Amino acid sequence: MASAVPVAEYQRRREQVLEKLEACGETAIAVIPSAHLATRSNDTEYPFRQNSDFFYLTGFNEPDAVLVLAPHAELPVQLYCQPKDPQQEVWHGRRLGVARAVEALGVDVAHAIDDLDEHLWQLLDGTHTVYCDQSNQDFFQQLLGLAAELRNSGKRGVQPPQRWQDVSPWLHSMRLVKSAAELEVMRKAANISVDAHKRAMQFVAPGRFEYQVAAELHHAFAMQGAAAPAYGTICGGGENACILHYTENNAVLNDGDLILIDAGAEYQGYAADITRTFPVNGRFSEPQKQLYEVVLQAQLASLESIKPGATLQQIQDIAAKALTEGLVALGILRGSVQDNMEQATYRRYFIHGLGHWLGLDVHDVGDARRGDKSTPFKPGMVLTVEPGLYIPADAEEVDAKWRGMGIRIEDDVVVTETGHDNLTAAVPKTVIEIEAWMQNK
């Protein structure tokens, strides 16, 4: 499947990093490794998932590779990857190989991964600062070992690196604002996920199991070209909806309960993330409808305020006020709205943030705050908006009719020049829309 992100865009991203390295004032390089295959059990592996930073700079989806960016080198953009090996490929799948990497990925030169240490040994000599991901301890220790070899080599004139810097802040700042090509991929991921949620909404019925609902979602993802879910699919019926990251998905769905589905496809590396909550039997009870409307109004109020210059904290405050007003009106919170806002009592039932960045990772990178200020929205930023209310089954302080209900509504939103675009609005969301869609089987 051809990538919607062109090679030229990966080249521009690498040029940005090279420019930053040149601006350091000292000789500097950046070294970014790929992910490795992870063992599932004995001699079987989990499906491979590339390191997001490495993928962002290369578009290369193979394990055991390293990108080196060295602006002072004759060939600044260097890729180290697995060479072609017919015997290995017949067992484990085709490789791009060294010979094709330059043309396919737009790098300056490619070498076999086994040659990495030899080439890095030479590149590190005389380099003042090395930018790398120090959280990748295995690879960082490999780099430190090479630097120690230089230091202890006994050769005159050898100069090992003087400083080690984290490259992640540069890359994560770049990743925060999506390009037009990235947004095209994210729209596709969102559309696939929208169709899957609509399919699951019509599949749900009393007596079916949560894992069967998850299977419907995963089938819909795969049939439209999404290789896998972007994260562990959540299909929580009844009280299970109050567990935020519930992934067991092994319970039967009961007549009269709600089901919360939080699921999104990963398409060409990019994630979608949608949550809908609806009645298993297709009809909201009156208490379910009342609590659902509180969450829905909080989400709609938050969405209205998304535009360039606004912040996540601002829309979080809007949601908190709407949730508090609704909880007070229903008698779940007692006292005035103002007193409850000052004491943040809504936090008893709204136990997570309003949203997060979305991109190559479902909880994507990028600062939500800069110092003591929230990061202002810019066109091209993509975030989720997901207010929720979760009334524990043992919440004796509230009327029994509310207990055991978990409700979350989540959409994926891109900030535009004039406001925002809800990428996932086509999944039924109002009470009327949901009930009508569930009956339209």
Side-chain angles (χ1 to χ4, degrees), residues 146-350:
L146 289 170
E149 287 180 23
L150 277 171
R151 189 176 299 109
N152 300 327
S153 67
K155 294 183 179 181
R156 298 184 65 179
V158 169
Q159 295 181 334
Q162 303 300 303
R163 196 158 64 106
W164 303 87
Q165 286 286 110
D166 188 3
V167 73
S168 300
W170 285 356
L171 302 180
H172 297 176
S173 178
M174 291 167 61
R175 285 172 54 187
L176 185 52
V177 177
K178 274 61 178 179
S179 69
E182 287 181 290
L183 291 176
E184 181 181 340
V185 179
M186 294 194 71
R187 286 182 190 280
K188 179 65 173 178
N191 289 339
I192 292 171
S193 303
V194 164
D195 288 348
H197 272 264
K198 293 175 73 174
R199 175 187 177 119
M201 199 172 279
Q202 291 190 331
F203 173 81
V204 165
R208 288 185 167 152
F209 283 82
E210 294 165 340
Y211 60 78
Q212 292 174 318
V213 180
E216 288 292 310
L217 290 156
H218 299 168
H219 176 266
F221 294 164
M223 290 300 290
Q224 296 191 62
Y231 53 95
T233 296
I234 298 167
C235 296
E239 296 176 18
N240 293 334
C242 294
I243 303 171
L244 295 187
H245 291 165
Y246 173 79
T247 55
E248 286 83 353
N249 297 336
N250 57 11
V252 68
L253 299 175
N254 295 313
D255 192 2
D257 280 348
L258 296 173
I259 178 173
L260 183 155
I261 298 178
D262 187 340
E266 181 175 286
Y267 180 74
Q268 294 192 9
Y270 288 81
D273 185 3
I274 304 173
T275 305
R276 290 293 187 268
T277 310
F278 53 94
V280 169
N281 63 14
R283 293 290 182 188
F284 286 88
S285 69
E286 190 58 30
Q288 289 169 349
K289 183 186 301 184
Q290 290 176 327
L291 196 62
Y292 184 88
E293 285 291 346
V294 172
V295 179
L296 178 60
Q297 293 309 311
Q299 203 222 22
L300 294 176
S302 303
L303 288 170
E304 285 180 3
S305 300
I306 297 177
K307 60 184 178 180
T311 68
L312 190 56
Q313 184 61 56
Q314 288 173 353
I315 63 172
Q316 169 98 18
D317 292 343
I318 290 169
K321 186 171 186 295
L323 291 173
T324 301
E325 290 173 343
L327 290 170
V328 169
L330 294 179
I332 295 173
L333 293 179
R334 296 172 178 83
S336 70
V337 171
Q338 182 176 342
D339 288 346
N340 277 283
M341 284 295 294
E342 290 174 357
Q343 298 171 37
T345 53
Y346 66 90
R347 277 293 185 190
R348 163 72 167 144
Y349 308 112
F350 179 34

Side-chain angles (χ1 to χ4, degrees), residues 126-138:
T127 292
H128 181 274
T129 305
V130 178
Y131 285 81
C132 59
D133 179 4
Q134 296 181 31
S135 68
N136 184 335
Q137 276 296 306
D138 288 343

Side-chain angles (χ1 to χ4, degrees), residues 50-89:
Q50 187 59 279
N51 173 275
S52 295
D53 284 341
F54 180 87
F55 188 79
Y56 181 76
L57 292 174
T58 65
F60 187 44
N61 202 33
E62 290 186 20
D64 302 322
V66 173
L67 176 70
V68 178
L69 300 175
H72 63 282
E74 181 179 353
L75 298 170
V77 181
Q78 305 178 10
L79 182 79
Y80 296 81
C81 62
Q82 296 179 96
K84 297 289 288 182
D85 185 333
Q87 185 174 1
Q88 287 295 316
E89 290 179 59

